[in-house]
């Protein structure tokens, strides 16, 4: 609240009671959880007042124009009080709407950088924070100033200063002064922080209320100093995507518990120990043959001749990369590099990867339709656990999968119904579709189509054969159509999860699928683990060697 002293000078009185402390605690907890590297004032009422008094006196002693501290402490009710005298006037006179001149704008940058030289950061800069005293710019509010001289916090302050000046005088004038004050290097360092997450509460609300375009300001100042617009810094600890990822990971954990909950560990160990070595060796060999089939499919998607051997090694190398990043991302990155080395454009390389991946997806869906809906191969999946060691809630996982599929479908429909999301999806997909169409037009040869779809079908069949060989190692058996259904359904489900390589997800899905097909839970779990060992966990060993060979021979 405002008051007057005995001389008629304006005073600002701040009283921090229990409610103010609780609000500060909630605000600090929220920012600490939501934003990276967030700082704040001390949590206690008295500590908060003492901190504000200290940083204000410290800044004043070092030459910054800040309010004068009159008194700070606690009253008889244990409420904390700080009284400051502010002789500055507002930077913008709203009665006349007179805009700050170039000297005032430069003064804003001067006071912010002066604060940084003292090891102080503000964190809540906005047009209202700045005042003017005898033509000099001052800081009128010091309650959120922190003793934090980290580069991140300083760059946030600079971004807030730029937005504040742009709100006051417009982008053109603000950009011109900021470019002179910061220079190209300073602007390049500040640009990643020119985003809504880096703004203080008051400034963020004003940006929203005035529909201020931060992207336009970012582009304008980058163009003014001739620097590239960089990717924005990751300031939020939690994003909607990460919340969705966490929810899916929780679902994966539930799937694992459901799949392995009725498996006795000692029985599982005994089952694996008693596996037939001959069948395991056969499974290991068969599990490597899909690399060759995948190479044939990729060759079919390529509009020019490419040697099959290096392509097969490329597929092996992708298996190594899949340990660290989602397989789709790793495949696209390696495909682009490989085909660029073959003299193709990056857009063509992306098209090849897209065509190969989409045709593989079509083959997988077709396999499921043929084996489940049409009934090719006389597939008879019994969705009840059989055998003494397979009793239990086998349908729980199926119900969960159905619920997940329904949620994904509803979310996709709802997202596409929103104009902004639909426009973003169309914007990203349209160029890819155009690239794919150009490449498809070059694939008019029946031989190419046979390689493309035949290679992908062979890949699925070979993986199903490897799964069957793993099952044979434990004395079980299923017909090829059932094995194909179990593998393809598990692969599709694993691909939906944001887990590199479907680690954990594929094991659970394979176990559930084989249990649903009538195999005991212990045998199903052992088969799933061994199958994943020979198809995913061991191949990266020679996948690393494949990548080294490809690099040595200039294929990557």
């Amino acid at each position: 609240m405002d008051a007057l002293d005995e001389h008629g000078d304006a005073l600002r009185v701040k009283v921090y009671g229990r409610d103010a402390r609780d609000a500060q605690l909630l605000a600090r907890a929220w920012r600490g959880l939501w934003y990276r590297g967030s700082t704040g004032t001390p949590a206690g009422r008295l500590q908060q007042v003492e901190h504000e008094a200290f940083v204000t006196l410290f800044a004043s002693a070092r030459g910054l124009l800040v309010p004068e501290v009159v008194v700070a402490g606690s009253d008889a009710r244990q409420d904390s009080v700080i009284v400051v005298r502010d002789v500055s006037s507002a930077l913008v006179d709203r009665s006349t709407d007179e805009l700050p001149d170039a000297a005032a704008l430069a003064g804003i940058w001067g006071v912010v950088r002066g604060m940084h030289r003292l090891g102080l950061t503000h964190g809540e800069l906005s047009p209202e924070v700045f005042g003017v005293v005898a033509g000099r710019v001052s800081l009128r509010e010091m309650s959120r100033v922190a003793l934090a001289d980290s580069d991140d916090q300083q760059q946030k302050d600079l971004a807030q200063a730029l937005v504040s000046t742009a709100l006051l005088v417009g982008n053109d004038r603000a950009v011109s002064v900021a470019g002179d004050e910061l220079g190209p290097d300073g602007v390049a360092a500040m640009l990643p922080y020119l985003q809504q997450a880096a703004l203080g509460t008051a400034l963020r609300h004003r940006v929203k209320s005035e529909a201020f375009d931060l992207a336009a300001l970012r582009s304008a100042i980058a163009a003014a100093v001739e620097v590239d617009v960089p990717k924005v810094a990751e300031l939020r600890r939690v994003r909607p995507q990460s919340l969705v990822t966490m929810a899916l990971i929780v679902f994966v954990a539930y799937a694992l518990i459901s799949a392995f909950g009725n498996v006795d560990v000692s029985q599982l160990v005994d089952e694996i120990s008693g596996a037939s070595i001959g069948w395991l060796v056969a499974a290991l060999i068969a599990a490597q043959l899909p690399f060759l089939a995948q190479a044939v499919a990729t060759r079919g998607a390529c509009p020019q001749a490419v040697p099959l051997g290096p392509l097969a090694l490329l597929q092996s190398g992708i298996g190594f990369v899949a340990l660290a990043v989602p397989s789709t991302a790793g495949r696209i990155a390696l495909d682009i590099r490989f085909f660029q080395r073959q003299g193709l454009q990056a857009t063509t390389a992306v098209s090849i990867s897209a065509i190969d991946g989409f045709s593989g997806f079509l083959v997988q869906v077709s396999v499921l339709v043929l084996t489940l809906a049409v009934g090719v191969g006389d597939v008879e999946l019994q969705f009840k656990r059989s055998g003494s060691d397979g009793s239990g809630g086998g349908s729980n996982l199926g119900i969960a999968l159905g619920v997940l599929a329904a949620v994904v479908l509803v979310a996709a429909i709802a997202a596409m119904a929103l104009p902004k999301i639909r426009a973003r999806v169309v914007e990203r997909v349209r160029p890819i579709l155009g690239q794919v169409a150009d490449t498809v037009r070059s694939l008019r040869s029946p031989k190419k189509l046979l390689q493309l779809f035949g290679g992908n079908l062979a890949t699925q069949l070979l993986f199903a054969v490897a799964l069957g060989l793993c099952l044979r190692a434990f004395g079980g058996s299923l017909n090829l159509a059932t094995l194909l259904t179990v593998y393809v359904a598990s692969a599709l489900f694993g691909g939906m999860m944001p887990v590199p390589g479907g680690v954990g997800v594929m094991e659970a899905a394979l176990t559930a699928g084989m249990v649903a097909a009538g195999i005991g839970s212990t045998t199903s779990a052992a088969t799933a683990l061994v199958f994943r060992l020979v198809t995913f966990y061991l191949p990266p060993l020679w996948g690393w060697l494949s990548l080294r060979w490809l690099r040595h021979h200039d294929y990557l």
Side-chain angles (χ1 to χ4, degrees), residues 389-475:
D389 63 343
S391 59
S395 61
N396 290 340
L397 183 60
I399 295 174
L401 292 176
V403 171
L404 177 66
V407 170
V408 171
L409 180 61
V410 171
I413 294 174
M416 291 305 294
L418 299 175
K420 289 186 177 180
I421 296 180
R422 185 172 63 249
R424 185 178 302 177
V425 171
V426 171
E427 180 182 355
R428 292 187 178 184
V429 171
R430 182 180 290 129
I432 297 176
L433 291 179
Q435 296 163 4
V436 171
D438 292 339
T439 307
V440 166
R441 281 192 289 269
S442 67
L443 305 178
R444 299 177 179 178
S445 168
K447 179 181 177 181
K448 287 287 187 179
L449 294 176
L450 180 61
Q451 288 178 337
L452 179 62
F453 289 99
N456 278 304
L457 178 59
T459 299
Q460 308 304 314
L461 290 171
L462 288 170
F463 276 126
V465 168
L467 180 62
L469 293 173
C470 291
L471 182 58
R472 281 282 188 181
F474 300 103

Side-chain angles (χ1 to χ4, degrees), residues 121-480:
T121 55
H122 198 286
E124 285 287 344
L125 294 175
S126 65
E128 293 74 23
V129 167
F130 299 101
V132 61
V133 181
R136 293 181 60 194
V137 174
S138 68
L139 287 172
R140 309 185 71 191
E141 179 59 55
M142 301 290 287
S143 62
R144 294 299 301 274
V145 172
L147 292 165
D149 58 353
S150 71
D151 184 66
D152 283 347
Q153 295 299 323
Q154 291 184 1
Q155 297 302 334
K156 289 179 185 178
D157 276 355
L158 295 177
Q160 292 174 16
L162 175 59
V163 175
S164 297
T165 56
L167 287 169
L168 289 173
V169 300
N171 284 1
D172 292 341
R173 288 186 60 194
V175 163
S176 177
V177 175
D180 293 338
E181 294 291 327
L182 297 178
D185 292 340
V187 170
M190 179 270 297
L191 271 175
Y193 299 86
L194 190 56
Q195 54 175 298
Q196 190 169 347
L199 307 183
T201 304
L203 189 59
R204 188 162 55 247
H205 288 166
R206 183 161 176 178
V207 164
K208 287 183 178 179
S209 64
E210 298 185 16
F212 184 79
D213 191 347
L214 284 175
L217 178 60
R218 188 184 301 114
S219 300
I221 192 167
V225 296
E226 298 181 348
V227 299
D228 294 331
V229 179
K231 182 180 179 182
V232 296
E234 184 58 62
L235 299 180
R236 291 189 176 93
R237 297 181 189 273
V238 182
R239 298 183 301 170
Q241 296 94 321
S242 60
L243 293 177
V244 173
T245 299
M246 184 177 295
L248 291 175
I249 290 175
V250 169
F251 176 80
V252 169
Y254 169 78
L256 286 171
I257 293 172
S258 298
F260 294 102
N262 294 319
V263 177
D264 184 86
V265 175
S266 61
Q267 292 181 1
L268 180 60
V269 172
D270 292 340
E271 186 84 14
I272 294 176
S273 301
S276 169
I277 300 299
W279 286 113
L280 290 180
V281 171
L284 178 62
I285 295 173
Q288 313 317 308
L289 296 179
F291 290 140
L292 183 59
Q294 289 169 346
V296 172
T298 304
R299 198 180 191 187
C302 183
Q304 71 179 38
V306 180
L308 185 61
L311 265 180
L313 293 177
L314 177 67
Q315 309 308 315
S316 175
I318 290 172
F320 172 75
V321 175
L323 282 176
V325 297
S327 57
T328 301
R331 174 180 292 275
I332 291 175
L334 287 180
D335 280 350
I336 291 175
R337 183 64 175 168
F338 180 87
F339 287 113
Q340 280 184 319
R341 287 287 189 175
Q342 299 299 308
L344 298 175
Q345 298 293 327
T347 54
T348 303
V350 172
S351 302
I352 293 170
S353 184
I355 292 171
D356 188 15
F358 184 65
S359 62
F361 173 75
L362 288 180
V363 168
Q364 288 180 323
V365 172
S366 300
V367 166
L368 282 183
V369 171
L370 289 174
T371 53
L372 290 177
V374 181
V376 171
D378 192 22
V379 181
E380 295 180 359
L381 296 179
Q382 303 297 323
F383 286 94
K384 294 182 180 180
R385 296 180 185 266
S386 61
S388 58
D389 63 343
S391 59
S395 61
N396 290 340
L397 183 60
I399 295 174
L401 292 176
V403 171
L404 177 66
V407 170
V408 171
L409 180 61
V410 171
I413 294 174
M416 291 305 294
L418 299 175
K420 289 186 177 180
I421 296 180
R422 185 172 63 249
R424 185 178 302 177
V425 171
V426 171
E427 180 182 355
R428 292 187 178 184
V429 171
R430 182 180 290 129
I432 297 176
L433 291 179
Q435 296 163 4
V436 171
D438 292 339
T439 307
V440 166
R441 281 192 289 269
S442 67
L443 305 178
R444 299 177 179 178
S445 168
K447 179 181 177 181
K448 287 287 187 179
L449 294 176
L450 180 61
Q451 288 178 337
L452 179 62
F453 289 99
N456 278 304
L457 178 59
T459 299
Q460 308 304 314
L461 290 171
L462 288 170
F463 276 126
V465 168
L467 180 62
L469 293 173
C470 291
L471 182 58
R472 281 282 188 181
F474 300 103
S477 65
L478 290 171
N479 61 54
L480 182 59

Side-chain angles (χ1 to χ4, degrees), residues 41 48-61 64 66 69 118 120 142-147:
T41 55
Q48 184 175 349
V49 164
E50 291 175 341
H51 177 81
E52 182 176 351
F54 167 73
V55 296
T56 304
L57 291 170
F58 177 73
S60 178
L64 289 183
V66 295
V69 178
L118 300 178
L120 303 176
M142 301 290 287
S143 62
R144 294 299 301 274
V145 172
L147 292 165

